[in-house]
Structures are given as C-alpha cells and as structure tokens.
Amino acid sequence: MTMWIARTKTELQKHLASLPRPIVLVPTMGALHPGHSSLIDLARKHAGSEGSVLVSIFVNPIQFDKSTDLENYPRTEDEDLNICQSHGADGVFLPEPSEMYFKDLSITVTENLLSEHLCGATRPGHFDGVCTVVLKLFNLTRCDAAVFGEKDFQQLAIIQRMVRDLDLQVQIVPHATLRESDGLAMSSRNRRLTPEQRADAPRIRKALLTASSKPSAEEILSTACEIIEASTLTKIDYLTLVDAETLQPTDKITHSTILACAVFYGDVRLIDHIKTSD
Ligand code: AMP
C-alpha cells in the first residue's frame, strides 16, 4: 500500500477514519537518520502487520528557546518521506506551525519536577513545548502507542510522567540510542557540524565511557570534564550526575545514576548520557 501524507488536521482525520488499530506513532522533527528509522521499525513490530504506523514530522517552534536554533534546524522533507516509505510507515503527518498552533495559543502543558535540571535548566520552556506538542499529537492521531528514543532520556522520562499524571491512554515504547561507528550518538544536528567538529565529537562518548567507571562522583565529573575540555572546539553546557528516577542531581553512585551532558560545538548543541554502572 502506498504511504499517505497529511498536511492538515482535516486530512489526517480523513485517513484516521479507516486506519486499523493499533496505531503506533513515531513523533519526529524530521532530518531523519538511522536512529529515527529504527524507531519506525520498532513501531511496525509493535503495531504488527495488521496495525498502523504513523510518523509525524514537525519542527515544533514552541520547544526552541533560541530562534537561530529553530531557523538553522535541518529540513530534508523529500529524503524524510523516502525513509518513512521504505520503512513501511502507513502515513506521515507533516503540518505547518500555523496548522498546529493558534496565534493566541494560551494553554500549554508544564512539567515541574523532572524538567528542573539538565536540558530543562539550560533551555527554558523547552519541555513545556515538547509536552504540549506531544499531547496534541497524541490527541490528533488517537494513537495507542508511541515510540521515543532513549537518547533524549529526560524527554522520555517527562513524556512517561505526562502519560501517568494526565491519565493518557498511550503506551510509551522506548528505543535504545543508535550510534555512529565512532560512538557519536546519531542526531539530526550532527549534519550541521563542520568536518573538524564532526571528527572531534566522538570525544563526548569517550568522556562518558571513561568517566563512568570511576568510583566517586567527583572523579566521574572531573574525568569527563577534562576529556571534553581538552578540545578547543567544545563548550560544556552542562555535565551532571542525576538519579535516573527523579532526575535530581546526586553524588551517590548507584546502579541508577546517570551521567548526562550537553556540549556545544559552535552553535550546535549535542547531548548524550550513560549509566554510571554501564
Ligand atoms: P527528533 O527528531 O530529534 O525530535 O527525534 C525524534 C525521536 O527520535 C525522539 O524520540 C528521539 O529520542 C529519537 N532519536 C533521535 N536520535 C536518536 C538516536 N540516535 N537513537 C535512537 N533514537 C533517537
């Protein structure tokens, strides 16, 4: 069957009318890479051959705290649609911002605990934007399940909390992080790195791997910091140890402690994390 594309909510509703359940959604911002395609593959596994896989491609303006980051976000629509088609998506929802948001939008979703630190601290309003768009996508697609990558582990934890706290009837299916062969976590933003920055960027993963085996919080943080800052190209946005459940900073190293970082290469911000027991 050929894959359909809906650019408006009305078109989407027409397609949904005849869409077999379960409906499994893969929300993305496009510029798809193999990390995204593996999410689509997992969605297909979850939906089964009878069910339906939907991909949404929407660069959500309200989750960007910097307008330059929004403007520079890579957009590769034709390639994205080919990837969705070749991975067996049934349909793609590809709205414009004006289709998603009224000019006088006045109700948004706010998470108050898990978003306090990490990306939530350095990107004010980011997770309000994420929660709001994800809730709208859940409502619009009436999906039974949705696949999210563990690469954005704070986002995944917050979405799971939103589902719990707002009684959403959507099963959240996590997917492990896909990496390049040199260890760099795949990201749409990687394509904005210069060749020199790209060659340097695997140090983020190396720093986390080397640091995570150290015995104390102090040594973990100083080791990771040293390796990342040994490059003249990097600027650390944050480097923090948090508890995996609460996402609150901790200096106790247990099986559920996560070392997480965001690192700038120029204006390109990359994130990664590791369990300290890995
Ligand atoms: P994005 O388009 O960056 O908003 O990402 C859309 C979805 O793909 C999110 O659930 C991300 O966590 C997930 N994702 C992005 N990069 C990767 C990766 N390298 N491995 C697995 N999932 C990923």
Side-chain angles (χ1 to χ4, degrees):
M1 232 184 44
T2 51
M3 183 183 80
W4 50 260
I5 300 164
R7 291 183 188 274
T8 66
K9 297 178 198 175
T10 313
E11 282 168 19
L12 176 66
Q13 295 316 314
K14 268 188 210 145
H15 290 292
L16 285 179
S18 57
L19 213 56
R21 287 193 181 272
I23 297 173
V24 184
L25 174 69
V26 182
T28 80
M29 296 203 298
L32 302 184
H33 52 66
H36 294 114
S37 11
S38 63
L39 264 56
I40 302 174
D41 295 342
L42 181 60
R44 171 52 66 201
K45 232 189 229 169
H46 207 80
S49 53
E50 301 292 312
S52 309
V53 173
L54 292 191
V55 179
S56 60
I57 299 177
F58 180 57
V59 184
N60 177 31
I62 71 164
Q63 74 183 66
F64 284 80
D65 51 314
K66 289 193 185 113
S67 58
T68 47
D69 191 23
L70 172 63
E71 282 153 25
N72 293 330
Y73 200 84
R75 287 163 168 88
T76 56
E77 186 179 307
D78 292 345
E79 289 164 41
D80 291 351
L81 292 173
N82 284 335
I83 289 171
C84 292
Q85 170 100 55
S86 64
H87 285 265
D90 295 288
V92 177
F93 181 45
L94 228 166
E96 288 294 324
S98 57
E99 181 67 17
M100 287 295 277
Y101 296 117
F102 287 93
K103 278 207 182 89
D104 58 350
L105 169 81
S106 60
I107 295 187
T108 54
V109 181
T110 301
E111 198 287 328
N112 290 306
L113 212 53
L114 303 178
S115 51
E116 250 184 312
H117 301 281
L118 310 171
C119 294
T122 63
R123 301 184 70 189
H126 171 66
F127 286 115
D128 290 4
V130 169
C131 287
T132 303
V133 79
V134 169
L135 180 59
K136 282 167 73 72
L137 290 168
F138 286 179
N139 285 335
L140 284 166
T141 60
R142 285 173 266 144
C143 59
D144 301 287
V147 184
F148 287 86
E150 285 171 359
K151 180 192 158 249
D152 301 272
F153 83 100
Q154 188 176 20
Q155 168 174 284
L156 173 61
I158 289 171
I159 298 297
Q160 283 168 327
R161 181 61 63 93
M162 177 170 76
V163 165
R164 187 197 78 175
D165 284 358
L166 300 185
D167 299 307
L168 306 182
Q169 300 304 306
V170 179
Q171 184 189 351
I172 303 301
V173 183
H175 190 291
T177 304
L178 249 80
R179 297 180 180 279
E180 303 289 353
S181 54
D182 57 15
L184 178 66
M186 288 182 185
S187 164
S188 304
R189 289 186 161 90
N190 292 353
R191 62 182 89 199
R192 293 196 50 235
L193 297 170
T194 65
E196 195 191 2
Q197 291 168 336
R198 174 62 190 83
D200 193 72
R203 79 169 53 246
I204 299 173
R205 170 71 168 166
K206 275 188 210 122
L208 298 183
L209 275 171
T210 311
S212 64
S213 60
K214 302 288 175 194
S216 70
E218 205 172 65
E219 282 171 273
I220 288 175
L221 292 172
S222 64
T223 303
C225 186
E226 226 166 78
I227 296 174
I228 295 170
E229 290 189 335
S231 164
T232 55
L233 303 175
T234 54
K235 188 171 157 284
I236 294 177
D237 185 32
Y238 66 75
L239 177 66
T240 314
L241 281 162
V242 293
D243 176 80
E245 286 288 306
T246 63
L247 302 197
Q248 295 299 309
T250 181
D251 55 9
K252 285 197 195 80
I253 305 306
T254 71
H255 65 280
S256 72
T257 307
I258 288 179
L259 174 62
C261 69
V263 175
F264 279 107
Y265 278 90
D267 66 347
V268 182
R269 186 176 172 281
L270 304 179
I271 58 170
D272 205 347
H273 70 283
I274 194 167
K275 271 207 170 161
T276 53
S277 56
D278 276 1

